[in-house]
Amino acid sequence: RKEVEQDPGPFNVPEGATVAFNCTYSNSASQSFFWYRQDCRKEPKLLMSVYSSGNEDGRFTAQLNRASQYISLLIRDSKLSDSATYLCVVNYGDTGRRALTFGSGTRLQVQP
Amino acid sequence: NAGVTQTPKFQVLKTGQSMTLQCAQDMNHNSMYWYRQDPGMGLRLIYYSASEGTTDKGEVPNGYNVSRLNKREFSLRLESAAPSQTSVYFCASSEPRQGYYEQYFGPGTRLTVT
């Protein structure tokens, strides 16, 4: 079983739609959670961190449910420029490693 | 301020050849990482360096070696390339503060081993 699991998609949505992605993680010792965005043939870039109380950044809302070990990302009013792969990322913070464990990503295609 | 740079951007090797992937960062970060990305697998950690002078194995270290040359530079070496090492390689750096571990990635090296 993968440590971080995501629906690979693709999610094809029209402009203006609301779309939600979920992600589950297997290690209950996970400490930090993130969503990264990766454009085609580019490097991953941090989209937003995910806090226990949930957090919002413009059209993007992230939620964390520690009891069920899942993370979600909600995108409202989708834009063409939101088309990308969204990576769910978890950090265990163990032994000073501070490396990240990545899901394989969910691809979003926003259509005009 | 270039962030994280990687060279080369593309490389084709024959099985058994060796090469070194270079990575440098100008953000004065202590920690640096090498990942590989394969279709459907997500990014997987090959090696990391928590600080200058230290390196440790990640999830998939076999067939690779690394050198943390100084605080800025972290290289990845393939001693005898195999087709299974065909992948996109990303270098990253971070400076953890209060448990927040954003990592900054280089543009990647696309490696094909024939």
Side-chain angles (χ1 to χ4, degrees):
Chain A
R1 183 184 170 195
K2 291 182 183 176
E3 290 188 61
V4 180
E5 297 215 45
Q6 295 181 250
D7 181 342
F11 284 59
N12 294 303
V13 303
E15 268 187 292
T18 295
V19 61
F21 308 136
N22 290 326
C23 159
T24 57
Y25 60 94
S26 60
N27 190 332
S28 59
S30 304
Q31 296 185 4
S32 306
F33 308 90
F34 310 90
W35 284 100
Y36 275 66
R37 170 190 169 132
Q38 186 173 25
D39 293 302
C40 188
R41 301 179 76 82
K42 298 286 190 181
E43 70 273 23
K45 291 184 179 177
L46 180 67
L47 177 67
M48 58 195 303
S49 301
V50 186
Y51 302 120
S52 295
S53 55
N55 49 299
E56 189 174 306
D57 183 1
R59 296 182 293 109
F60 299 83
T61 300
Q63 297 278 354
L64 167 64
N65 184 320
R66 283 189 185 269
S68 301
Q69 294 182 208
Y70 83 77
I71 308 152
S72 65
L73 177 68
L74 183 77
I75 305 175
R76 290 182 299 279
D77 189 23
S78 300
K79 312 289 185 194
L80 293 175
S81 57
D82 293 334
S83 297
T85 296
Y86 291 83
L87 307 172
C88 176
V89 184
V90 172
N91 173 258
Y92 300 118
D94 61 332
T95 65
R97 196 183 84 166
R98 304 190 180 104
L100 304 175
T101 300
F102 287 78
S104 53
T106 297
R107 193 155 66 87
L108 172 66
Q109 184 66 48
V110 180
Q111 294 164 339
Chain B
N1 189 339
V4 180
T5 57
Q6 291 183 237
T7 56
K9 285 189 169 46
F10 302 92
Q11 183 70 49
V12 179
L13 292 178
K14 293 189 188 321
T15 297
Q17 287 185 317
S18 62
M19 78 162 294
T20 299
L21 281 64
Q22 306 286 354
C23 174
Q25 52 93 8
D26 61 4
M27 295 175 282
N28 203 35
H29 288 168
N30 276 301
S31 300
M32 297 185 73
Y33 313 83
W34 276 105
Y35 293 90
R36 60 178 287 173
Q37 185 173 35
D38 303 295
M41 299 289 292
L43 279 84
R44 292 181 291 169
L45 183 67
I46 304 171
Y47 269 92
Y48 66 100
S49 171
S51 60
E52 187 178 353
T54 68
T55 60
D56 284 285
K57 295 179 181 179
E59 183 185 353
V60 289
N62 291 343
Y64 305 95
N65 285 300
V66 291
S67 295
R68 183 73 183 267
L69 304 169
N70 48 55
K71 191 171 185 179
R72 288 188 64 247
E73 297 172 287
F74 188 37
S75 62
L76 178 72
R77 182 160 178 84
L78 286 70
E79 291 291 352
S80 179
S84 60
Q85 294 178 305
T86 293
S87 189
V88 181
Y89 292 85
F90 288 102
C91 177
S93 71
S94 71
E95 186 58 49
R97 59 180 195 279
Q98 296 183 331
Y100 177 71
Y101 302 127
E102 178 178 1
Q103 293 191 359
Y104 297 83
F105 286 81
T109 294
R110 296 183 179 277
L111 175 67
T112 301
V113 183
T114 62

